[in-house]
């Protein structure tokens, strides 16, 4: 009889997750300072259970809370979550409207709690394209939490990397016209100053759930040297234990940013 057949299904995976949980310590300086997540697989999670897709989004929201809390506990200063892309408007109107309501209601429910935990909430994306009620809420939440110095939580809603770059270039050109500076004076730093993430560090780690391995127009500029972690787990099944597993994987990466490993000459 094979040894592993003595154990219930999922035993070894749970044991591995429990081990990784123990090896990640809060405040570890080798943890990523900025984690970005493409929360994918809500629809498939619901379909597997013969439920409407909206149930998947509801279940996904619970994980947003869990992972946000875990980042706070571990002292990871920046977390960016991709909640709705500029391309997601192509979904059935009913699903889009469900998601907009979910964003509104969840912000209404959790902002006070996050605010008391000193979480600063910012939104990345074309906020003017959101329904008026949500737009107002977004501005209020940003203003209410602006002075907080705890976790920086970025929610990407109506976000697209290409449109972010286009709006940045437009502002840069306007600035160039008004202050008449030469094209040579346009630098990476100057352009980055017009991105939605201006002033924030680039993500060190990007996690995408559900088995897809693509960037889907997310943080195109900011992920130039980000480490990627892909998992087959669907977002509503992705909890703090697997999050810590992703952090462990990150800790083992060798980041060279185009250079060579320190001390190595050949
Ligand atoms: C992708 O899964 C998920 C989304 C487009 C929505 C994600 C939104 C949430 C988890 C709620 C977050 C709420 C706040 C306030 C941040 P999918 O629907 O594309 O899944 P599929 O690929 O299996 O169909």
């Amino acid at each position: 009889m094979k040894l592993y057949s003595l154990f219930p299904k999922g035993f070894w995976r749970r044991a591995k997750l429990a081990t990784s949980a123990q090896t990640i310590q809060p405040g570890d300086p080798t943890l990523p300072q900025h984690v970005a997540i493409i929360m994918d697989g809500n629809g498939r999670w619901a379909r597997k259970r013969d439920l409407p897709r909206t149930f998947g989004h509801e279940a996904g929201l619970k994980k947003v809370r869990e992972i946000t809390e875990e980042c706070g506990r571990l002292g990871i200063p920046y977390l960016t979550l991709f909640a709705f892309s500029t391309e997601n408007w192509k979904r059935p109107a009913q699903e889009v409207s469900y998601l907009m309501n979910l964003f509104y209601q969840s912000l209404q429910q959790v902002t006070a709690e996050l605010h008391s935990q000193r979480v600063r909430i910012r939104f990345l994306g074309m906020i003017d394209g959101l329904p008026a009620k949500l737009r107002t809420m977004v501005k209020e939440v940003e203003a209410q939490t602006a002075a907080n110095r705890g976790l920086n939580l970025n929610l990407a809603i109506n976000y697209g990397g290409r449109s972010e770059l286009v709006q940045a270039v437009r502002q840069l050109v306007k600035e160039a016209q008004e202050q008449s500076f030469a094209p040579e004076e346009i630098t990476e730093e100057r352009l980055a100053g017009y991105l939605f993430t201006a002033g924030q560090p680039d993500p060190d780690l990007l996690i995408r759930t559900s088995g897809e391995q693509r960037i889907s127009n997310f943080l195109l500029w900011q992920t130039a040297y980000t480490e990627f972690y892909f998992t087959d787990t669907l977002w509503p099944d992705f909890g703090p234990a697997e999050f810590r597993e992703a952090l462990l994987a990150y800790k083992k990466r060798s980041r060279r940013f185009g250079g060579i490993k320190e001390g190595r000459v050949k």
Side-chain angles (χ1 to χ4, degrees):
M1 186 195 262
K2 287 188 181 125
L3 182 64
Y4 59 75
S5 62
L6 291 171
F7 296 92
K9 196 166 174 273
F11 175 87
W12 291 111
R13 180 162 168 73
R14 280 197 299 277
K16 191 172 158 224
L17 288 178
T19 312
S20 55
Q22 287 155 16
T23 39
I24 297 286
Q25 297 299 327
D28 175 348
T30 64
L31 284 177
Q33 295 301 290
H34 186 169
V35 178
I37 309 184
I38 302 180
M39 310 179 290
D40 199 6
N42 293 353
R44 277 163 283 168
W45 182 92
R47 201 169 57 227
K48 269 171 70 179
R49 289 160 179 79
D50 261 334
L51 293 168
R53 292 176 55 81
T54 51
F55 281 65
H57 297 315
E58 184 80 40
L61 180 62
K62 288 201 185 90
K63 298 300 163 172
V64 167
R65 291 191 75 155
E66 288 179 24
I67 299 302
T68 304
E69 280 167 16
E70 189 62 11
C71 274
R73 225 180 345 257
L74 293 173
I76 293 171
Y78 291 86
L79 173 66
T80 299
L81 301 173
F82 202 7
F84 194 89
S85 75
T86 43
E87 290 74 34
N88 285 152
W89 297 104
K90 294 179 202 156
R91 293 183 176 214
Q94 214 186 352
E95 181 173 343
V96 169
S97 135
Y98 175 88
L99 279 168
M100 294 299 145
N101 276 322
L102 186 71
F103 298 147
Y104 181 83
Q105 281 169 10
S106 51
L107 287 171
Q108 203 171 36
Q109 283 161 16
V110 303
T111 301
E113 189 189 324
L114 292 175
H115 184 41
S116 73
Q117 293 162 358
R118 300 189 308 119
V119 175
R120 178 172 187 182
I121 307 175
R122 276 175 282 198
F123 295 86
L124 315 182
M126 314 304 253
I127 298 310
D128 289 344
L130 295 176
K133 214 166 89 161
L134 181 58
R135 205 162 59 223
T136 309
M137 168 72 89
V138 156
K139 288 179 184 158
E140 280 171 10
V141 169
E142 280 195 337
Q144 190 187 350
T145 64
N148 289 344
R149 293 293 171 263
L151 171 72
N152 289 279
L153 175 63
N154 294 321
L155 300 175
I157 300 181
N158 196 21
Y159 174 88
R162 287 184 174 181
S163 62
E164 177 183 38
L165 284 165
V166 168
Q167 67 79 37
V169 170
R170 281 185 187 147
Q171 292 188 70
L172 199 54
V173 170
K174 199 158 162 267
E175 192 198 343
Q177 283 167 345
E178 283 165 5
Q179 297 178 20
S180 59
F181 61 73
E184 294 72 34
E185 289 178 75
I186 295 176
T187 59
E188 291 186 9
E189 290 71 26
R190 207 161 194 164
L191 193 140
Y194 284 113
L195 299 177
F196 299 129
T197 49
Q200 302 191 36
D202 287 340
D204 299 299
L205 172 66
L206 183 138
I207 299 172
R208 183 170 189 153
T209 57
S210 92
E212 311 292 353
Q213 301 193 358
R214 54 178 170 264
I215 190 83
S216 298
N217 203 12
F218 188 41
L219 302 176
L220 296 180
W221 173 281
Q222 298 89 337
T223 53
Y225 279 100
T226 299
E227 297 294 325
F228 285 48
Y229 179 88
F230 297 111
T231 171
D232 287 340
T233 304
L234 303 174
W235 175 249
D237 291 325
F238 187 89
E242 189 168 358
F243 181 60
R244 288 191 293 265
E245 201 181 1
L247 298 176
L248 261 191
Y250 168 83
K251 275 163 64 75
K252 290 180 191 149
R253 304 272 175 96
S254 160
R255 302 188 76 193
R256 295 183 297 281
F257 299 94
I260 56 169
K261 220 176 157 89
E262 238 169 71
R264 191 176 278 184
V265 285
K266 55 180 180 172

